Amino acid sequence: MRKMLSSGVCTSTVQLPGKVVVVTGANTGIGKETAKELARRGARVYLACRDVQKAELVAREIQMMTGNQQVLVRKLDLADTKSIRAFAKRFLEEEKHLHILINNAGVMMCPYSKTADGFEMHIGVNHLGHFLLTHLLLEKLKESAPSRVVNVSSLAHHLGRIHFHNLQGEKFYQSGLAYCHSKLANILFTQELARRLKASGSGVTVYSLHPGTVSSELVRHSALMRWIWWLFSFLIKTPHQGAQTSLYCALTEGLEALSGSHFSDCQVTWVSAQARNETVARRLWDVSCDLLGIPVD
């Protein structure tokens, strides 16, 4: 049953010797499976993770399974802009190239809390953290073109809204909706970044995706969601199946004309009206820059 419902497989045979990849949240779930496959294809893969100890174990596992020793772990806490800046600084000192950035890490249905910089946790980690990371690595991506940015979003974006007057959830907060709002932000960021990069002829393309409903640690904050996941486990994708669309967006040749598009099951899919709102996308870009201290261009 799971196999029947898990359509969409990355069939690309592209190999990646000499290519450099960063995958956030690569010590578990979809991120781990994505990193494993990219390593199997010969890439130099950075596991950018908050839990370094766990990531080191995963890196050794991937090295043993793929025979690729170029699987490296670096500390990255997306809930702390100092950590994000430190990661980017070290990476830029170490590497001359970056060909693929996969913004995979995320939190879901957290009790109300704030990041080290005072951002609501969902918007702070899922959107602002990856927004800043991408900004800091963008020149390296341009220098390495053709290169790609892949943003893992969710079907849940359909329930999302960008409430600029309550972006940090201080006026009203519901953990499930907070997740939806942040996933909508992922798609709006993808579309605005793609528009800007296309206008500059940078050679960097950007894609967002829904991985499917996947068995992962993402539901760890919700007993109800864990129970639902268990009850309907026969319908839920494995992490390997969930990684297929991330891999498709990262590897498939000829996707350049689809930069800014949203994918599900390895094909372009529709997004909500909110996610197609260019005015909201541009405003969110400006607001994000302001919150992160990035000059607005």
Side-chain angles (χ1 to χ4, degrees), residues 59-120:
R60 286 195 288 274
E61 178 187 333
I62 293 175
Q63 289 167 350
M64 290 179 63
M65 292 182 70
T66 65
N68 183 350
Q69 299 305 304
Q70 297 187 91
V71 181
L72 308 170
V73 173
R74 295 293 180 268
K75 171 80 172 181
L76 175 65
D77 184 353
L78 288 162
D80 185 347
T81 59
K82 288 182 180 178
S83 175
I84 299 168
R85 292 182 183 278
F87 169 88
K89 182 175 184 295
R90 183 178 179 185
F91 178 86
L92 295 174
E93 290 171 349
E94 290 179 323
E95 291 291 344
K96 294 181 179 179
H97 301 287
L98 175 58
H99 302 95
I100 303 172
L101 170 61
I102 300 184
N103 291 321
N104 165 83
V107 295
M108 178 180 179
M109 298 186 72
C110 302
Y112 186 77
S113 56
K114 292 188 175 182
T115 69
D117 301 273
F119 307 136
E120 185 277 316

Side-chain angles (χ1 to χ4, degrees), residues 201-214:
S202 66
V204 183
T205 51
V206 196
Y207 313 93
S208 62
L209 64 99
H210 167 56
T213 305
V214 180

Side-chain angles (χ1 to χ4, degrees), residues 22-25 76 78 101-106 126 129-131 133-134 137 149-153 183 186 189 193:
V22 170
V23 184
T24 70
L76 175 65
L78 288 162
L101 170 61
I102 300 184
N103 291 321
N104 165 83
N126 297 352
H130 283 128
F131 186 103
L133 178 65
T134 306
L137 299 179
V149 178
V150 178
N151 295 320
V152 178
S153 179
K183 294 290 102 180
N186 292 154
F189 168 50
L193 179 58

Side-chain angles (χ1 to χ4, degrees), residues 23-277:
V23 184
T24 70
N27 59 2
T28 188
I30 297 171
K32 176 182 174 181
E33 292 298 321
T34 302
K36 185 192 303 179
E37 179 60 24
L38 296 173
R40 190 183 67 79
R41 293 171 185 248
R44 182 175 173 87
V45 181
Y46 282 82
L47 312 185
C49 304
R50 181 174 57 86
D51 188 337
V52 172
Q53 186 175 6
K54 183 176 180 180
E56 291 285 4
L57 293 173
V58 169
R60 286 195 288 274
E61 178 187 333
I62 293 175
Q63 289 167 350
M64 290 179 63
M65 292 182 70
T66 65
N68 183 350
Q69 299 305 304
Q70 297 187 91
V71 181
L72 308 170
V73 173
R74 295 293 180 268
K75 171 80 172 181
L76 175 65
D77 184 353
L78 288 162
D80 185 347
T81 59
K82 288 182 180 178
S83 175
I84 299 168
R85 292 182 183 278
F87 169 88
K89 182 175 184 295
R90 183 178 179 185
F91 178 86
L92 295 174
E93 290 171 349
E94 290 179 323
E95 291 291 344
K96 294 181 179 179
H97 301 287
L98 175 58
H99 302 95
I100 303 172
L101 170 61
I102 300 184
N103 291 321
N104 165 83
V107 295
M108 178 180 179
M109 298 186 72
C110 302
Y112 186 77
S113 56
K114 292 188 175 182
T115 69
D117 301 273
F119 307 136
E120 185 277 316
M121 191 61 69
H122 293 88
I123 202 73
V125 170
N126 297 352
H127 169 61
L128 292 171
H130 283 128
F131 186 103
L132 177 59
L133 178 65
T134 306
H135 167 75
L136 294 172
L137 299 179
L138 194 55
E139 286 306 312
K140 189 65 69 179
L141 285 159
K142 290 178 181 179
E143 292 169 9
S144 308
S147 54
R148 297 185 181 187
V149 178
V150 178
N151 295 320
V152 178
S153 179
S154 171
L155 184 68
H157 84 272
H158 284 279
L159 297 177
R161 298 291 183 273
I162 303 300
H163 300 291
F164 289 104
H165 66 288
N166 187 47
L167 205 58
Q168 308 306 334
E170 293 173 329
K171 293 183 173 65
F172 51 88
Y173 179 79
Q174 201 282 327
S175 62
L177 287 176
Y179 174 74
C180 298
H181 302 333
S182 71
K183 294 290 102 180
L184 171 60
N186 292 154
I187 297 178
L188 293 168
F189 168 50
T190 298
Q191 295 185 348
E192 181 62 12
L193 179 58
R195 184 187 69 81
R196 289 167 177 258
L197 291 170
K198 195 177 298 182
S200 66
S202 66
V204 183
T205 51
V206 196
Y207 313 93
S208 62
L209 64 99
H210 167 56
T213 305
V214 180
S215 176
S216 73
E217 294 181 4
L218 196 59
V219 296
R220 62 188 179 274
H221 293 293
S222 172
L224 174 61
M225 292 302 293
R226 290 198 304 273
W227 180 78
I228 292 173
W229 254 236
W230 173 81
L231 188 64
F232 293 99
S233 59
F234 63 97
L235 299 175
I236 292 175
K237 291 184 180 182
T238 65
H240 172 77
Q241 291 167 334
Q244 294 305 303
T245 305
S246 294
L247 292 166
Y248 180 88
C249 291
L251 297 170
T252 302
E253 296 176 296
L255 286 188
E256 290 75 17
L258 296 174
S259 184
S261 296
H262 185 66
F263 290 77
S264 178
D265 285 327
C266 299
Q267 59 187 345
V268 175
T269 191
W270 64 291
V271 296
S272 69
Q274 285 286 316
R276 298 191 301 270
N277 191 319

